[in-house]
Short mmCIF file of all heavy atoms in Angstrom, two decimals:
data_model
loop_
_atom_site.label_atom_id
_atom_site.label_comp_id
_atom_site.label_asym_id
_atom_site.label_seq_id
_atom_site.Cartn_x
_atom_site.Cartn_y
_atom_site.Cartn_z
N SER A 274 29.27 19.48 82.68
CA SER A 274 29.58 20.35 81.48
C SER A 274 28.43 21.38 81.29
O SER A 274 28.58 22.46 80.89
CB SER A 274 29.88 19.58 80.28
OG SER A 274 28.74 18.79 79.86
N ALA A 275 27.15 20.87 81.44
CA ALA A 275 25.98 21.78 81.27
C ALA A 275 26.03 22.98 82.22
O ALA A 275 25.69 24.02 81.90
CB ALA A 275 24.66 20.95 81.41
N ASP A 276 26.43 22.66 83.46
CA ASP A 276 26.53 23.71 84.40
C ASP A 276 27.60 24.71 84.14
O ASP A 276 27.35 25.93 84.30
CB ASP A 276 26.78 23.07 85.87
CG ASP A 276 25.63 22.24 86.34
OD1 ASP A 276 24.58 22.74 86.70
OD2 ASP A 276 25.87 21.05 86.33
N VAL A 277 28.72 24.27 83.74
CA VAL A 277 29.84 25.17 83.46
C VAL A 277 29.55 25.98 82.17
O VAL A 277 29.99 27.15 82.10
CB VAL A 277 31.17 24.42 83.44
CG1 VAL A 277 31.37 23.67 82.13
CG2 VAL A 277 32.32 25.38 83.76
N LEU A 278 28.96 25.29 81.23
CA LEU A 278 28.60 26.05 79.97
C LEU A 278 27.58 27.20 80.22
O LEU A 278 27.71 28.27 79.66
CB LEU A 278 28.08 25.03 78.99
CG LEU A 278 29.11 24.16 78.24
CD1 LEU A 278 28.30 22.99 77.43
CD2 LEU A 278 29.89 24.99 77.20
N ALA A 279 26.63 26.85 81.03
CA ALA A 279 25.56 27.84 81.40
C ALA A 279 26.31 29.02 82.05
O ALA A 279 25.98 30.26 81.91
CB ALA A 279 24.48 27.31 82.26
N THR A 280 27.25 28.79 83.05
CA THR A 280 27.89 29.83 83.75
C THR A 280 28.71 30.62 82.80
O THR A 280 28.77 31.84 82.86
CB THR A 280 28.71 29.23 84.90
OG1 THR A 280 27.81 28.61 85.80
CG2 THR A 280 29.51 30.30 85.60
N ALA A 281 29.48 29.95 81.95
CA ALA A 281 30.27 30.63 80.98
C ALA A 281 29.48 31.63 80.01
O ALA A 281 29.91 32.72 79.80
CB ALA A 281 31.12 29.62 80.12
N SER A 282 28.33 31.08 79.70
CA SER A 282 27.42 31.91 78.76
C SER A 282 26.95 33.16 79.56
O SER A 282 26.85 34.19 78.99
CB SER A 282 26.25 31.04 78.30
OG SER A 282 25.37 31.76 77.56
N ALA A 283 26.60 32.96 80.82
CA ALA A 283 26.04 34.11 81.69
C ALA A 283 27.22 35.14 81.86
O ALA A 283 26.83 36.36 81.73
CB ALA A 283 25.57 33.57 83.02
N ILE A 284 28.39 34.73 82.07
CA ILE A 284 29.50 35.61 82.26
C ILE A 284 29.81 36.39 80.99
O ILE A 284 30.05 37.68 81.00
CB ILE A 284 30.76 34.97 82.83
CG1 ILE A 284 30.52 34.33 84.22
CG2 ILE A 284 31.95 35.93 82.93
CD1 ILE A 284 31.64 33.45 84.75
N SER A 285 29.77 35.60 79.91
CA SER A 285 30.14 36.21 78.56
C SER A 285 29.03 37.32 78.26
O SER A 285 29.37 38.41 77.80
CB SER A 285 30.01 35.16 77.45
OG SER A 285 31.01 34.20 77.66
N ALA A 286 27.73 37.00 78.60
CA ALA A 286 26.63 38.01 78.33
C ALA A 286 26.91 39.28 79.17
O ALA A 286 26.64 40.35 78.75
CB ALA A 286 25.26 37.38 78.65
N ALA A 287 27.36 39.02 80.48
CA ALA A 287 27.61 40.14 81.31
C ALA A 287 28.81 41.01 80.84
O ALA A 287 28.84 42.22 81.19
CB ALA A 287 27.89 39.63 82.73
N LEU A 288 29.71 40.33 80.05
CA LEU A 288 30.85 41.07 79.51
C LEU A 288 30.41 41.86 78.26
O LEU A 288 31.24 42.53 77.68
CB LEU A 288 31.95 40.23 79.24
CG LEU A 288 32.77 39.72 80.54
CD1 LEU A 288 33.75 38.53 80.01
CD2 LEU A 288 33.48 40.80 81.30
N GLY A 289 29.14 41.63 77.80
CA GLY A 289 28.70 42.24 76.53
C GLY A 289 28.70 41.43 75.33
O GLY A 289 28.41 41.92 74.15
N TYR A 290 29.03 40.11 75.48
CA TYR A 290 29.02 39.28 74.29
C TYR A 290 27.69 38.88 73.83
O TYR A 290 26.77 38.50 74.64
CB TYR A 290 29.80 38.01 74.58
CG TYR A 290 29.72 36.93 73.49
CD1 TYR A 290 30.30 37.20 72.29
CD2 TYR A 290 29.16 35.73 73.82
CE1 TYR A 290 30.27 36.24 71.24
CE2 TYR A 290 29.14 34.75 72.82
CZ TYR A 290 29.67 35.04 71.55
OH TYR A 290 29.62 34.03 70.57
N ARG A 291 27.40 38.98 72.58
CA ARG A 291 26.12 38.57 71.93
C ARG A 291 26.44 37.67 70.77
O ARG A 291 26.92 38.09 69.78
CB ARG A 291 25.38 39.86 71.45
CG ARG A 291 25.03 40.84 72.54
CD ARG A 291 24.03 40.24 73.48
NE ARG A 291 23.61 41.25 74.56
CZ ARG A 291 24.25 41.40 75.72
NH1 ARG A 291 25.25 40.63 76.01
NH2 ARG A 291 23.79 42.27 76.56
N PRO A 292 26.00 36.42 70.85
CA PRO A 292 26.31 35.46 69.78
C PRO A 292 25.59 35.92 68.50
O PRO A 292 24.46 36.44 68.61
CB PRO A 292 25.64 34.12 70.31
CG PRO A 292 25.60 34.27 71.78
CD PRO A 292 25.35 35.71 72.06
#
Side-chain angles (χ1 to χ4, degrees):
S274 60
D276 295 289
V277 78
L278 283 166
T280 298
S282 178
I284 297 173
S285 298
L288 290 173
Y290 173 63
R291 299 293 182 269

